[in-house]
Amino acid sequence: MNGRDLVRSVKLMGSRRGLRTVRSAWRRARADARALPGRGAERARVPGPVTGAEPGPGGGVVRFARSELRVRVAVGGAVFWGWDGAEPLPSYALPGGAPDADPRAVLEPGTDGGWQVVSERVTVAVSRHGAVELRTPGGVVLRRELPPRWWEPVGGGPARWVQRAEVPADARFFGLGGRAAGPRLRDGSYALWNTDPGGRFGPGDDPLYLTMPVQVVVADAGTLLVFHDNTWAGRVSLREGSEGAGSGHDRPGVSEVRMEGGPLRCWAVAGTPARVLAGWSALTGAAAVPPSWALGPQHARWGFGSAEAVRGVVAGYRERGLPLSVLHLDIDHYDGHRVFTVDRERFPDLPGLARELRGYGVRLVSIVDPAVAAAGDDPVHASGLAVGESGAFVRDARGRVVRGEVWPGACVYPDFTDPDVRVWWGELYAERLAQEFSGVWHDMNEPVSFAAFGDPSLPRSARHCLEGRGGDHREAHNVYGLAMARAGYEGLARLRPQERPFLFSRSGWAGMQRYGGTWSGDVATGWPGLRASLALVLGLGLCGVPYSGPDVGGFDGSPSPELYLRWFQLGAYLPLFRTHAAIDAGRREPWEFGAQVLAAAREVLVERERLRPYWVTLARLAASTGAPYARPVWWSDPGDRALRDCEDAFLLGEALLVAPVLEPGVVRRPVRLPPGHWYDTVSGAVYEGPGQVVVEAPLSRVPVLARAGSVIPVRGADGGVELEVWAPVEGRGGGGTVVVDAGDGWEPVVVERYATRLEGGRVVVERDGGGAVERPVRVRGGVAQR
């Protein structure tokens, strides 16, 4: 760092905090320089020629001159392979033990001196030089992993490695966690290091808060999810392929994964998108089901200021007849920004306020940051020092507690990779429950130490428990938010066992859906930020995190009335529907943007509430099947190349297609339809897919189309569940699933499945398995009911 960096830091952070931030950066740099010497000379290594093989459960081990490869097909079809003795466990992505091996999958000689493992859904072919091919049962190559290469320091230390792969020329890439420039990932390089981008981000910013080494590749040959189970920092470079014209050759797509250390091990799941996500969910754990109230409209603001300001916002919703389910309190409700505290002057009776709001049907949710004030009078800090033999907080390589600069000032960081620390932290949530909060949202948990320049994280040499194995922050950083989410979720479940915990987290990693969802973080206000909001939700859903949403209106700046309304309309059809803004970014209440915006916002809020039973059903199906609530339009027809390239619309479950407006001044827009008969849910206009149509998109609404034959559970006038049936087409039929949530606890649910058909010009609705249809039915689409 030079003098120019110092001046910049002071200007950005203020003189006092800026200087502390600079000192923190100096300490971080010195610690890494002492504990992480340069790599020095390195030796490159490749597997070499095959020397033999040994069968084992679900596959076996293929040995090469300088390495060995373990291949194992699990029950359910997931494929594991790992180099140099890498096993499926230990893994932060897997919730428990590794799945059982498929006894039908056997290692056998292949062609040209290689080996192969044949299973029901995929064949794994290993070449004599270490390439790994994943093929369909018909022999079509889905992905070809070229022989890997390692660079090992001559003086010892972790080996860095690169793994290149080829995919079909027509393939499209998706996934890699939360990416603003998606959901289809274009040619480029994507970092694997959870990062606070600092204040705001747009489509060109990478990485963001939640990165995952999870690729979803969609091609004519099929859909394949590949997960490189490695938590170290890395980078994924992607290049789409191209098909040769005439007699020209195809150029395959290319994926290159580079990691700074850690094991080279992978999981893959192949099949239809539904089967792939089901397999991924079975491998990494079912998504947590949010309580039903968390599926309603939510409102947040950094800077409410007082209990009276909170009451004023809730009263504003009630006076205008606007539904509201949840209100979030940001760090300004804390005493000096210290976690698990309350500013008693501004919030003199927080439990009373929470009970008052709950009487109106509004729950309070609290922010929780991981950084703990390093102060002698802080009770959380004091109790953390007493955990275990060396305390709860991350230490450096010399055994000293690591300090960083966050909102309370000088802070220390719990080591959530230590099971004892997770238990201690989980018990601290008793204070939040005593304040009558109904849930929590985790922020700043990449983790963040303020930096006016450079990487705003902890020293990479900082030491972590890592479940007793020991290691440093290079391995622990990307799973820090995941481990914190586990601590919070398990703590809430212990403290309030009668209710499902509600938790969502800014940072995380593969498998975080077990503990809750996430949100966009500080997305920049503007039309690009609106588009990035949709990209993030769709990409995260394909990585197994179905519950997410953006800061409606953008985190910073002041959106125009049109931008705010279009963002509000999009958010109403995404799982986590929450307005939020920075302390100096203006208000986000719908009535702040004029009468026209207020009227349109009321309409979409009422529709969100009418669809609440459908949201409950989607939440339960996400947990049981792995299917995200919001899905790409190619979900049911991935072979349609035009659908694979569609990024401005999405499916909400199987029944609805939502076409948000993502540009200013638009009142009509093209929509790419999947196969089938589609109804405009407002105008009743009928469209036939596949193909592109132009639909009306006035400022008052965004186009929402219903699939013919669908059965959608909706809330009736009496509050009960009714069936909205969209008339099927002659000879096609349809149906739908209804999951009725008995409450916000762990009660068994009732699953109802219905089928529809057109018979004699009338719609027939039947319950699968027989029995009478006992719920009220309303047929839409201009055909009578029978």
Side-chain angles (χ1 to χ4, degrees), residues 113 220 357 482 523 645 675-676 749 762:
D220 289 353
L357 298 187
L482 169 72
V523 61
D645 292 342
V749 297
R762 301 178 70 85

Side-chain angles (χ1 to χ4, degrees), residues 275-288:
R275 178 170 283 182
V276 165
L277 266 294
W280 179 239
S281 176
L283 183 66
T284 60

Side-chain angles (χ1 to χ4, degrees), residues 33-232:
R34 282 192 300 263
L36 300 176
R39 297 182 63 87
E42 295 178 315
R43 285 188 295 261
R45 174 169 62 88
V46 295
V50 68
T51 60
E54 178 183 338
V61 176
V62 182
R63 293 189 172 86
F64 299 85
R66 291 177 292 277
S67 191
E68 68 177 34
L69 172 69
R70 180 178 299 279
V71 179
R72 175 177 169 180
V73 178
V75 172
V79 177
F80 171 84
W81 69 94
W83 289 92
D84 290 346
E87 297 279 356
L89 297 176
S91 170
Y92 277 97
L94 275 59
D100 294 336
D102 185 347
R104 300 170 298 175
V106 178
L107 181 68
E108 61 186 28
T111 59
D112 297 328
W115 295 82
Q116 66 180 15
V117 179
V118 180
S119 67
E120 180 182 4
R121 297 179 185 174
V122 68
T123 295
V124 185
V126 182
S127 80
R128 58 190 175 128
H129 292 292
V132 178
E133 284 189 355
L134 300 175
R135 304 172 181 166
T136 68
V140 179
V141 177
L142 294 170
R143 187 180 181 101
R144 184 171 190 264
E145 300 271 341
L146 303 176
R149 181 181 293 267
W150 295 265
W151 288 269
E152 300 167 332
V154 172
R160 59 189 179 92
W161 53 262
V162 60
Q163 173 72 77
R164 294 184 177 92
E166 296 177 345
V167 299
D170 65 282
R172 296 290 183 261
F173 295 101
F174 301 86
L176 296 183
R179 304 288 169 170
R184 172 185 163 193
L185 301 177
R186 263 67 173 190
D187 296 1
S189 182
Y190 301 88
L192 297 172
W193 186 257
N194 293 347
T195 303
D196 177 2
R200 62 177 183 174
F201 70 88
D205 293 308
D206 185 89
L208 299 178
Y209 316 95
L210 205 168
T211 67
M212 293 186 200
V214 179
Q215 296 181 35
V216 177
V217 183
V218 185
D220 289 353
T223 301
L224 180 71
L225 181 149
V226 174
F227 166 52
H228 290 83
D229 193 353
N230 183 313
T231 66
W232 285 61

